[in-house]
Amino acid sequence: MEMKLLVLAGLFGLSLGQHDPHMKHGRTSIVHLFEWRWADIATECERYLAPKGFGGVQISPPSESIVVTNPWHPWWQRYQPISYNLCSRSGTEEELRDMITRCNNVGVLEKAITLAVARILMPTRRISPLFPSHHWTSMMANVRDCQLVGLLDLAMEKDSVRGKVAEYMNKLIDMGVAGFRMDACKHMWPGDLSAVYDRLHNLSTKWFSSGLKPFIYQEVIDLGGEPIKASEYFGLGRVTEFKYSAKLGTVVRKWENEKLCYLKSWGEGWAFMPSDKAVVFVDNHDNQRGHGAGGASILTFWDARLYKMAMGIMLAHPYGVTRVMSSYRWDRNFENGKDKNDWMGPPSHGNGSTKAVPINPDTTCGDGWVCEHRWRQIRNMVNFRNVVDGQPISNWWDNGHQIAFGRGSRGFIVINNDDWNLRETLSTGLPGGIYCDIISGDKLGGGCTGKQIRVDKDGRAHFSISNWEDDPFIAIHVEAKL
């Protein structure tokens, strides 16, 4: 009994730190700079992410991986590592160290960097005569003990293997990394993962308070009805809630008779995992390509109008830790409903090396980089979430495909996803005054480059949103008051 109590206490203390993204005070969202070079990420932290209030950045796997030339340098080669050497097409180990230092110094990765470990050299799926393809003893063992699409992996039930994985992660922690995104966790036994996490160092005291464990969030695809449940990993860290992006896409697209008004119970009311266990996103690098719990309902930058609306909902709502996607374009080629070019890697030179991310005069990105995190509507909603952090949903209003809700007395959002105009006077809960709509423009000095909303002394305001607008939603918050 004493041994069990000690083990439970140790795991409990460990898991508390692993659920906390350690973000700098006042910051709430992570951005995935998918396939960016380390040098570009370092610069982006300093010039954009820190000033705009982003809390952390998820990077592509930093370890050495296979090099595939047929197809030509696909994105997924990064997820098939061959060693723990910190050299990749994003840069060298020295460039990685420089990026971590520079981002932590401006408070972006500080208390919030998440890093893909790339299936930790393909986790515990191994060829075994005990589980031939025609006679699996159980579906759960099949998923966790057999190979995933023929990929080789590690036998993580072995203590020596666990030690090697922890050594790799600890090197990154000592460099200043504050957390990890663990890929394909449903293919690893929770006990094996726990044995690795238990060996991890505390975060570097150069940037973090003493005694902090790294943030862990685990990719577990659980859409319901599967033998392995996301809840099996709750005690180890946060978990990706894949039902979130699939359902939000269905609602915003108005498929299956879904309406925005049904979002009144969004979150646990939709049978999602508890908010304090969840990491959520509108799309990720997998499901924007139809992989990994993908599907036609997933909204991406290709559906820009609906995508921005969905991002507005996610960033205004308090559920989960939010992660913003930053993508690149590829040449889509559909055949029988499937994109034959979904393998395509990032914008590259002829030799396969990744191109730099150029910034246009209007602050958007060029040369094939999409940079959704730089879209005004999205980066301003990232700040909205920062401003309203900790406030409950309040002043809910709905009318079918039109909704509005506040976050205490700090912010208010109105969305029109209907086929006719929205013309309503609503209680916002905000102090009286004139506010800048952060969707149509920016507050600059004492002025606003977009719409202005007048809130009366009683907190009521009139909203007008045409159904044909490029961005059929309005958001105001106390820091956008003129």
Side-chain angles (χ1 to χ4, degrees):
M1 179 62 72
E2 284 185 317
M3 183 176 294
K4 290 183 179 179
L5 288 174
L6 286 172
V7 170
L8 287 172
L11 288 175
F12 180 69
L14 183 68
S15 66
L16 286 179
Q18 291 170 190
H19 288 81
D20 182 356
H22 305 308
M23 289 190 229
K24 186 175 181 179
H25 179 71
R27 301 184 188 182
T28 56
S29 294
I30 297 163
V31 58
H32 184 188
L33 298 182
F34 182 49
E35 286 284 10
W36 280 44
R37 305 183 314 162
W38 307 148
D40 292 328
I41 295 176
T43 302
E44 188 74 347
C45 283
E46 295 167 339
R47 71 187 171 193
Y48 199 84
L49 299 182
K52 300 302 181 183
F54 286 86
V57 60
Q58 177 183 323
I59 65 176
S60 293
S63 54
E64 182 182 13
S65 69
I66 62 171
V67 175
V68 179
T69 56
N70 185 20
W72 187 253
H73 296 278
W75 65 267
W76 45 259
Q77 75 176 36
R78 298 289 296 273
Y79 291 81
Q80 295 191 31
I82 57 175
S83 82
Y84 290 129
N85 295 327
L86 296 174
C87 56
S88 68
R89 68 181 175 197
S90 288
T92 64
E93 179 174 338
E94 291 71 24
E95 289 169 322
L96 177 65
R97 286 180 181 275
D98 179 65
M99 179 207 73
I100 293 170
T101 297
R102 289 166 61 185
C103 290
N104 274 338
N105 284 345
V106 294
V108 176
L109 298 190
E110 182 181 48
K111 304 188 178 181
I113 179 172
T114 55
L115 181 98
V117 181
R119 295 194 185 100
I120 330 180
L121 288 183
M122 307 310 136
T124 59
R125 297 172 300 278
R126 59 195 176 283
I127 301 173
S128 171
L130 296 177
F131 300 101
S133 60
H134 62 278
H135 183 62
W136 288 313
T137 56
S138 72
M139 183 64 72
M140 186 177 295
N142 170 22
V143 173
R144 287 174 170 155
D145 287 334
C146 297
Q147 289 181 302
L148 173 66
V149 294
L151 297 173
L152 298 178
D153 62 352
L154 302 176
M156 285 214 334
E157 75 278 9
K158 296 182 179 297
D159 190 70
S160 59
V161 174
R162 294 170 175 176
K164 191 65 177 178
V165 172
E167 179 184 339
Y168 166 69
M169 296 173 73
N170 281 331
K171 180 176 181 178
L172 291 165
I173 292 169
D174 295 345
M175 289 167 63
V177 164
F180 299 89
R181 173 192 179 269
M182 306 297 288
D183 198 46
C185 282
K186 69 188 293 182
H187 301 280
M188 292 179 269
W189 291 96
D192 290 340
L193 287 172
S194 178
V196 172
Y197 299 165
D198 196 35
R199 302 178 187 215
L200 298 184
H201 294 170
N202 291 337
L203 300 186
S204 170
T205 55
K206 182 176 180 179
W207 294 288
F208 305 98
S209 301
S210 62
L212 292 180
K213 285 292 183 181
F215 175 49
I216 298 289
Y217 86 86
Q218 303 158 112
E219 184 204 40
V220 181
I221 300 174
D222 178 7
L223 299 178
E226 301 188 34
I228 293 175
K229 307 298 182 186
S231 58
E232 296 177 49
Y233 299 83
F234 287 172
L236 302 176
R238 286 192 180 246
V239 181
T240 50
E241 178 50 277
F242 274 89
K243 293 190 290 292
Y244 190 101
S245 56
K247 291 294 186 181
L248 186 56
T250 300
V251 172
V252 174
R253 291 183 187 278
K254 296 189 281 191
W255 290 357
E256 301 176 8
N257 296 316
E258 296 283 10
K259 300 178 181 179
L260 286 189
C261 64
Y262 299 158
L263 297 179
K264 187 172 184 178
S265 60
W266 188 238
E268 289 95 335
W270 282 59
F272 296 165
M273 65 185 65
S275 178
D276 63 353
K277 302 294 190 295
V279 171
V280 297
F281 38 85
V282 174
D283 65 330
N284 75 350
H285 69 284
D286 271 321
N287 65 15
Q288 71 174 193
R289 290 167 171 77
H291 303 167
S297 72
I298 303 299
L299 287 164
T300 72
F301 67 88
W302 297 110
D303 308 288
R305 185 176 187 267
L306 298 182
Y307 185 73
K308 288 180 284 185
M309 197 186 314
M311 291 293 295
I313 293 168
M314 179 184 79
L315 292 166
H317 197 279
Y319 180 85
V321 168
T322 49
R323 205 216 55 206
V324 175
M325 184 68 196
S326 190
S327 315
Y328 59 82
R329 291 178 180 84
W330 66 93
D331 299 324
R332 294 199 290 180
N333 180 21
F334 284 98
E335 185 176 297
N336 297 322
K338 176 173 172 55
D339 184 1
K340 295 177 65 178
N341 286 344
D342 61 8
W343 58 266
M344 294 184 71
S348 302
H349 299 288
N351 63 1
S353 62
T354 302
K355 289 184 177 181
V357 182
I359 306 301
N360 299 321
D362 65 356
T363 76
T364 61
C365 297
D367 212 1
W369 297 96
V370 179
C371 298
E372 299 96 313
H373 71 286
R374 279 179 166 262
W375 295 3
R376 180 190 65 249
Q377 303 85 346
I378 292 176
R379 51 112 159 134
N380 280 350
M381 283 306 301
V382 166
N383 189 53
F384 178 102
R385 189 176 187 84
N386 293 341
V387 173
V388 304
D389 186 36
Q391 299 297 308
I393 290 179
S394 58
N395 295 295
W396 179 275
W397 172 88
D398 65 63
N399 182 19
H401 295 294
Q402 302 172 342
I403 64 170
F405 63 90
R407 293 290 302 279
S409 60
R410 302 281 293 172
F412 193 75
I413 188 169
V414 186
I415 305 169
N416 181 13
N417 196 30
D418 220 328
D419 296 328
W420 57 79
N421 296 341
L422 183 152
R423 303 279 188 271
E424 294 289 339
T425 299
L426 303 171
S427 295
T428 68
L430 272 62
I434 298 175
Y435 292 79
C436 181
D437 167 35
I438 61 169
I439 304 305
S440 59
D442 294 296
K443 178 186 175 184
L444 291 177
C448 177
T449 63
K451 300 175 183 177
Q452 296 186 19
I453 305 296
R454 180 182 295 275
V455 177
D456 295 334
K457 291 181 179 180
D458 62 359
R460 292 171 63 81
H462 184 74
F463 295 92
S464 177
I465 306 175
S466 170
N467 66 299
W468 52 259
E469 293 186 46
D470 286 340
D471 299 313
F473 61 112
I474 290 172
I476 57 177
H477 59 73
V478 292
E479 291 186 8
K481 187 177 181 182
L482 302 179

